[in-house]
Amino acid sequence: MSSDRPTLPPVRLPSDAELARDALAAPLLARAVRLARWAGPETRVGAGGELVDEQLPAAAEALGLAPDDDGAAYASEAWRVAVDTGLVVVDEPQDDEGGGEDGAVEAGGQLALVTGGAPQDVLALWLDALETALADATAPLLDDLAELLGEDGDLDLDALDWDPQAEAQFLDGVLANLYLLTVTEGGSGDAPVPLPALAASMIVPDDMGEPTDDVLEQVSDAMMRLDDQFRVLEPVGLVEYQPVDEALMAEEGEEPEPLGDDEDVTRYGMVRLTPLGLYGVRARMLEAGVDAPAVGDLADKGADVLLDGLARYPEASARAETHAWLTRREALPAARELLAAAKGVDAGSPLRRLHCQQALSLVGAPAEPAVREVLDDPELGGLARVWLAEHGASDVPAPPETMIFWLAVDTIAAQLDAVGGGDLEELRELVEGLTSQHSGFFDAAWRVEHPATPEVLEAMGRLHRDKAVAKEARKAAFKARSRAGD
């Protein structure tokens, strides 16, 4: 049986076209596009490509905002995204004898992709905008800039007590945990996560029982840090965020009050990745070399890849993946391909056969000719008989006894692999049902020519609640191992 378990379950994502629409509707990218269309020969930028202060009120008005400090801040943020994504191209100012102080601006090649590009082009543009937003979210808060300026007028980075790499890694870890919580719940991202729980997932050690005061203080600090960061990340469309209730803040605004037993946890902040956010975090994970599957990844692969891949999918995701695979194929050839891929005696073969049987149930009646073709196959004949019986066939040939016991071992091996370290109650019922229906089960089972026979019998000994039957199973497992070693 296979022991290879992926870190992440598959995520369910909307189509690229739907995601692209969400990307263009994200407030930050939408503002960047508007500014890129507004900019022209008269637009003035500074040495870093930023809009000069005198331009910010006009830029804010172009966005439909008041030309005040808030409007200027939104305009400055959107302009930075426009520059970073290539929506505009900036020629920085050159000091020359003519005394020119301002740079020139022109539309970038990426601007045409907003209306004329494919969904993948728009999503690539949004990913660039996301990188800018993430950089802003991890930037230090310069509340008192004067205290951080050195004698030469440059920013004293040491005085900031800011490690950009550590900040980026912390936020990446938070987003990875949020992604994992989402896909573990089924991949749709419908349920928001309380901010205290998300902060604790980064701070509290897994083996810690009751958090210490020091750890709780670290969690509180992380919450406030994340509250600021998620406020920055919401406009790019990465998350939906309900901020920490300001009424809970201390007078200094540094820490929230302690969470009471009966307190409404939503007041401490709630966050969830949007579908676009799931896409974005997954894209960054893939770029970092993380295996982050998505439902639909296997639709254009062969049946062998499909059945092996489904071993790591939860039930609902496996069904959706299989359905996507089948919709691209004719029913009967697909059934034959699935059955051929289910053969084998390697460690993963029992679970492949289980997923093959489930896939054939989605094919339905058109699969019957392919199923009948394998009735005499020693590895697939039992599966074929079960499928035919479930679909109401009246002329199913009786299986030989060796096939009955081989199928029993194969089924339990598949279920052990599918369950992994999870809930074993259903498997226990299967084991106890088999032993109650077949007298002398273990006398026949230890002789079964199946590579998983010893392991299956040992598992039956662990699972069966009748001590006498469990002892029989362990004895049979010893015989099977001894026989396999001959």
Side-chain angles (χ1 to χ4, degrees):
M1 289 177 286
S2 173
S3 60
D4 181 23
R5 294 289 175 192
T7 302
L8 295 171
V11 64
R12 298 193 204 185
L13 294 172
S15 68
D16 284 354
E18 292 174 277
L19 290 170
R21 284 194 292 272
D22 289 346
L24 292 175
L28 184 56
L29 184 57
R31 290 179 192 139
V33 170
R34 290 180 69 178
L35 284 187
R37 290 171 174 159
W38 161 82
E42 302 303 317
T43 306
R44 298 159 55 205
V45 297
E50 76 284 359
L51 288 173
V52 298
D53 290 345
E54 293 81 4
Q55 289 271 245
L56 289 175
E61 290 180 337
L63 295 176
L65 303 172
D68 54 16
D69 289 346
D70 287 342
Y74 284 124
S76 178
E77 179 187 38
W79 181 259
R80 191 161 54 253
V81 170
V83 172
D84 289 349
T85 57
L87 291 171
V88 295
V89 176
V90 172
D91 290 329
E92 295 183 6
Q94 302 294 324
D95 290 330
D96 54 30
E97 295 180 358
E101 297 179 356
D102 300 327
V105 176
E106 62 183 29
Q110 300 294 85
L111 184 57
L113 298 178
V114 172
T115 55
Q120 294 84 353
D121 297 323
V122 173
L123 290 172
L125 188 69
W126 179 81
L127 287 172
D128 289 340
L130 174 61
E131 291 302 317
T132 299
L134 289 169
D136 285 348
T138 55
L141 296 175
L142 305 180
D143 293 330
D144 192 348
L145 188 59
E147 293 183 2
L148 300 173
L149 293 178
E151 294 180 0
D152 57 359
D154 291 335
L155 196 62
D156 184 357
L157 294 178
D158 292 334
L160 278 175
D161 190 24
W162 174 63
D163 182 340
Q165 184 175 1
E167 291 291 332
Q169 288 176 345
F170 178 82
L171 184 54
D172 281 344
V174 168
L175 294 176
N177 281 0
L178 187 55
Y179 182 95
L180 178 58
L181 288 169
T182 302
V183 297
T184 302
E185 291 298 321
S188 62
D190 292 333
V193 176
L195 195 61
L198 189 57
S201 74
M202 294 296 296
I203 305 296
V204 182
D206 292 337
D207 57 355
M208 177 175 281
E210 188 71 21
T212 63
D213 290 343
D214 180 61
V215 168
L216 289 175
E217 184 177 350
Q218 292 179 53
V219 171
S220 180
D221 290 343
M223 282 176 56
M224 300 317 301
R225 194 164 153 202
L226 291 173
D227 182 62
D228 289 332
Q229 291 174 333
F230 285 135
R231 290 172 191 258
V232 173
L233 294 173
E234 187 172 32
V236 80
L238 185 75
V239 296
E240 288 182 4
Y241 182 54
Q242 176 183 321
V244 176
D245 187 344
E246 293 185 3
L248 298 172
M249 302 294 186
E251 289 185 4
E252 296 294 326
E254 294 178 354
E255 296 182 8
E257 298 173 2
L259 182 62
D261 292 338
D262 299 324
E263 190 72 68
D264 179 6
V265 72
T266 63
R267 298 182 66 199
Y268 288 79
M270 300 290 287
V271 63
R272 81 181 209 26
L273 287 169
T274 64
L276 186 61
L278 285 168
Y279 169 84
V281 175
R282 177 176 181 260
R284 300 181 86 244
M285 286 181 168
L286 293 175
E287 186 176 351
V290 177
D291 182 14
V295 173
D297 281 353
L298 307 179
D300 60 348
K301 304 292 192 285
D304 54 342
V305 177
L306 173 72
L307 295 181
D308 281 333
L310 293 180
R312 61 190 186 182
Y313 280 33
E315 184 177 348
S317 297
R319 188 177 182 87
E321 187 71 64
T322 304
H323 180 74
W325 189 88
L326 289 171
T327 56
R328 298 193 179 196
R329 292 160 178 81
E330 295 182 10
L332 184 55
R336 289 192 173 111
E337 187 181 350
L338 287 165
L339 287 163
K343 288 179 63 63
V345 292
D346 57 282
S349 62
L351 195 51
R352 282 204 308 275
R353 283 184 280 275
L354 175 62
H355 287 301
C356 173
Q357 186 171 350
Q358 293 169 344
L360 291 173
S361 70
L362 294 179
V363 177
E368 183 169 343
V371 172
R372 289 189 178 276
E373 290 167 4
V374 299
L375 280 170
D376 295 330
D377 187 289
E379 297 171 9
L380 302 177
L383 176 157
R385 285 167 171 79
V386 170
W387 187 93
L388 288 169
E390 288 176 345
H391 285 76
S394 58
D395 56 344
V396 182
E401 185 176 82
T402 54
M403 185 176 286
I404 294 174
F405 285 97
W406 194 95
L407 179 61
V409 170
D410 198 60
T411 300
I412 295 174
Q415 293 291 348
L416 283 169
D417 208 8
V419 169
D423 184 10
L424 296 173
E425 191 56 39
E426 185 175 342
L427 183 54
R428 177 177 284 112
E429 292 177 3
L430 172 63
V431 166
E432 293 180 350
L434 280 172
T435 54
S436 65
Q437 292 170 12
H438 299 278
S439 59
F441 178 88
F442 296 111
D443 287 338
W446 72 266
R447 296 182 172 87
V448 171
E449 296 281 354
H450 191 295
T453 296
E455 191 173 356
V456 164
L457 292 172
E458 286 178 352
M460 294 180 77
R462 293 192 303 270
L463 289 167
H464 209 295
R465 285 171 286 203
D466 187 309
K467 293 183 178 179
V469 176
K471 185 177 181 179
E472 282 188 66
R474 290 192 293 272
K475 286 182 178 180
F478 178 79
K479 290 180 181 179
R481 289 208 180 276
S482 300
R483 182 170 182 266
D486 291 342

